[in-house]
Amino acid sequence: MKQIIIPTVLMMLTVHASVGQTLKTYSGLYKNGKATYTYYEDENGERVKHGKFTYNKVDKGIGVGGGMNISYATTISASGNYKNGVKDGTWTYKNKTAGEGITFADFSAVINYADGRMEGTLNNAGTIFQMRNNRITGQVKKVKKVTKTRNEDWTLTGQFDEEGFPDGTWTKNYKSYGNLYEDTEKYVHGLLVAKQTKNESTGEITRYEFNDVNPQEYLVAYNPDKDSTIVGKLICQEKIYSKQGENNYSYLEDGLMPEIFGVEIRTIVEKIKEESGFGSEQEKYEGIPFKEIVVIGKIEAPNEGEVFDLVEQMPKFPGGDTKLMEYLSTHVQYPEDAQKDGIQGRVFVSFVVNRDGSISNAQVTRSVDPSLDNEALKVINNMPRWIPGQQGGKNVRTRYTLPIAFRLQ
């Protein structure tokens, strides 16, 4: 029995220590309304809300509607729980303006929190979102009816993954100017990989064209163990950015479908923050996370790029000049016809030492005889890789000129 009681007492002491002092209750005027809440005081004497919180406010007035004066009342309420100063558990918000049987505005939201973050169900006028760490997760669907001559009724469906990134196929079906349309966007963990609009009435399809990098090619080359991905000659990285819900359209030029739901969450948060009694300091919404492909560099083949004539560290034959002389003495073959004709001299050959040390662009800059010229070129082109030249600590392509001597004994 003691083994059970002692841990219980210790737990109670721990809770008491985290609170700091005995909980107190306030009930009275609060930010132009009335509130009741429990709290404790920190070491500086500041109140830290902890426990149940309720807030109510009623504003009455007279407005004009249909040429008549109408008495109305705006009723605002918020209730929920705080845990050491942050929202925790289920909170309910209401803001309604009505009078003489007419409802002018009616806002309500039920939001679950965990340590100040939206976590769990968010219900706004029947539209339900599943939230995790202030982000929307899971399947979503929205139906909008618009009474206009353009007849723009639409249905939008899609899903967010467990981290709140748009994922899979998003579809919007709608009517516009007498035609049926379907917009489609495909995502892989927040990365848009395909996007198109199809005119269901005519069959015409308009596809989105990606700049620089095709995301499908990027995904094929992607390796999570590397900090960058090479697509063709481009060095790419993923960048995460958030959109608060700037658009509520889905046409090719107007933005991304998931933003429609971002608009809804942002609107809810802004409505709550309008009333300071709601505890607006707790309402944070970073938006919907997306990914984009950023080009951070370009790969040039070793034999591509600028050629330098003079660099900080000139190219070297492996082993230095001594090994270079040994190589030439053992590989240069004196052409027989040149020997018979008594032809001798020095052939100057210019070549480029590439960034990987390979040799390219060999050409004779001072000729002696075609047979000697050809032998000199053959020897240069068959040389092993050099130690490449460097400029600013990086390997660069460097031009080098070497004389090949042909002498008769």
Side-chain angles (χ1 to χ4, degrees):
M1 198 61 171
K2 291 181 179 178
Q3 291 180 345
I4 297 174
I5 294 174
I6 291 174
T8 303
V9 173
L10 289 175
M11 181 183 70
M12 292 174 64
L13 291 174
T14 301
V15 171
H16 184 74
S18 68
V19 171
Q21 295 182 15
T22 303
L23 289 176
K24 301 178 182 179
T25 299
Y26 172 83
S27 184
L29 292 175
Y30 186 94
K31 298 185 178 181
N32 297 318
K34 293 183 179 180
T36 299
Y37 62 88
T38 53
Y39 68 94
Y40 64 89
E41 295 180 351
D42 63 16
E43 63 274 11
N44 298 316
E46 295 284 343
R47 290 183 182 182
V48 179
K49 296 183 182 72
H50 188 79
K52 189 174 182 180
F53 173 94
T54 59
Y55 172 82
N56 292 280
K57 177 184 176 183
V58 178
D59 289 329
K60 295 182 178 181
I62 297 177
V64 178
M68 301 175 58
N69 291 332
I70 299 175
S71 299
Y72 68 87
T74 298
T75 304
I76 302 168
S77 66
S79 62
N81 285 275
Y82 279 99
K83 180 181 177 182
N84 295 320
V86 295
K87 292 181 179 180
D88 196 73
T90 301
W91 277 70
T92 301
Y93 308 95
K94 294 181 179 180
N95 187 331
K96 183 175 182 179
T97 300
E100 299 184 19
I102 301 173
T103 299
F104 300 99
D106 192 359
F107 167 81
S108 66
V110 179
I111 305 176
N112 281 300
Y113 296 87
D115 294 326
R117 305 182 308 275
M118 288 185 282
E119 196 87 21
T121 302
L122 185 159
N123 188 330
N124 173 231
T127 301
I128 299 175
F129 296 98
Q130 293 300 317
M131 306 295 294
R132 177 172 292 184
N133 196 22
N134 289 333
R135 292 178 175 178
I136 311 170
T137 63
Q139 294 279 339
V140 289
K141 181 178 181 180
K142 184 171 180 61
V143 178
K144 186 174 184 179
K145 299 291 184 180
V146 181
T147 305
K148 290 183 178 180
T149 56
R150 290 172 61 182
N151 196 21
E152 292 183 318
D153 300 351
W154 51 262
T155 300
L156 174 64
T157 58
Q159 58 277 324
F160 297 91
D161 63 22
E162 289 300 302
E163 296 181 41
F165 288 90
D167 198 56
T169 300
W170 284 67
T171 304
K172 179 179 178 181
N173 298 100
Y174 56 99
K175 291 181 288 185
S176 182
Y177 294 109
N179 285 319
L180 299 173
Y181 290 89
E182 181 178 83
D183 290 355
T184 303
E185 295 175 1
K186 293 183 180 180
Y187 294 86
V188 176
H189 193 49
L191 178 65
L192 180 66
V193 299
K195 182 176 181 179
Q196 71 175 40
T197 290
K198 181 178 181 181
N199 185 327
E200 295 282 10
S201 298
T202 66
E204 181 184 2
I205 297 177
T206 304
R207 292 183 174 86
Y208 181 83
E209 297 293 333
F210 292 92
N211 297 324
D212 298 328
V213 181
N214 186 310
Q216 302 283 5
E217 296 177 3
Y218 172 85
L219 291 174
V220 171
Y222 177 73
N223 185 340
D225 296 327
K226 295 183 178 181
D227 59 3
S228 62
T229 301
I230 298 174
V231 181
K233 293 184 177 181
L234 301 178
I235 305 173
C236 308
Q237 285 184 337
E238 288 183 357
K239 177 183 177 182
I240 297 175
Y241 67 100
S242 293
K243 297 179 78 69
Q244 286 272 5
E246 292 86 350
N247 300 299
N248 57 357
Y249 303 98
S250 63
Y251 305 108
L252 291 182
E253 67 275 16
D254 288 327
L256 305 169
M257 289 186 196
E259 287 188 72
I260 294 178
F261 294 96
V263 170
E264 293 224 358
I265 301 297
R266 185 190 67 185
T267 301
I268 294 167
V269 168
E270 289 180 349
K271 185 65 177 178
I272 293 172
K273 292 175 73 173
E274 285 178 8
E275 302 297 333
S276 57
F278 283 178
S280 60
E281 75 283 355
Q282 297 292 322
E283 303 306 325
K284 296 180 181 179
Y285 176 60
E286 297 176 354
I288 295 174
F290 292 88
K291 288 183 178 180
E292 63 179 348
I293 302 171
V294 179
V295 178
I296 62 172
K298 184 177 181 181
I299 293 177
E300 291 180 337
N303 60 345
E304 292 181 348
E306 181 181 359
V307 177
F308 293 81
D309 292 312
L310 184 66
V311 292
E312 296 169 352
Q313 184 175 314
M314 292 298 289
K316 293 181 181 179
F317 189 87
D321 291 341
T322 301
K323 291 295 182 180
L324 174 59
M325 292 303 104
E326 289 180 8
Y327 172 83
L328 293 176
S329 64
T330 57
H331 287 77
V332 173
Q333 302 293 322
Y334 212 121
E336 290 185 6
D337 56 346
Q339 292 186 56
K340 291 178 181 180
D341 294 338
I343 300 173
Q344 59 181 344
R346 289 196 302 172
V347 179
F348 283 77
V349 180
S350 170
F351 56 92
V352 174
V353 179
N354 296 311
R355 293 195 303 273
D356 63 350
S358 61
I359 303 299
S360 67
N361 301 95
Q363 56 186 339
V364 174
T365 58
R366 182 183 294 177
S367 174
V368 176
D369 178 80
S371 62
L372 299 185
D373 295 348
N374 291 334
E375 178 63 18
L377 286 172
K378 183 182 74 173
V379 171
I380 294 298
N381 284 323
N382 289 331
M383 283 192 297
R385 291 179 185 268
W386 283 46
I387 298 170
Q390 288 196 343
Q391 183 75 12
K394 295 182 178 180
N395 292 354
V396 294
R397 302 183 73 205
T398 311
R399 194 182 313 280
Y400 200 92
T401 301
L402 192 66
I404 308 294
F406 295 89
R407 292 190 180 88
L408 294 170
Q409 297 289 327

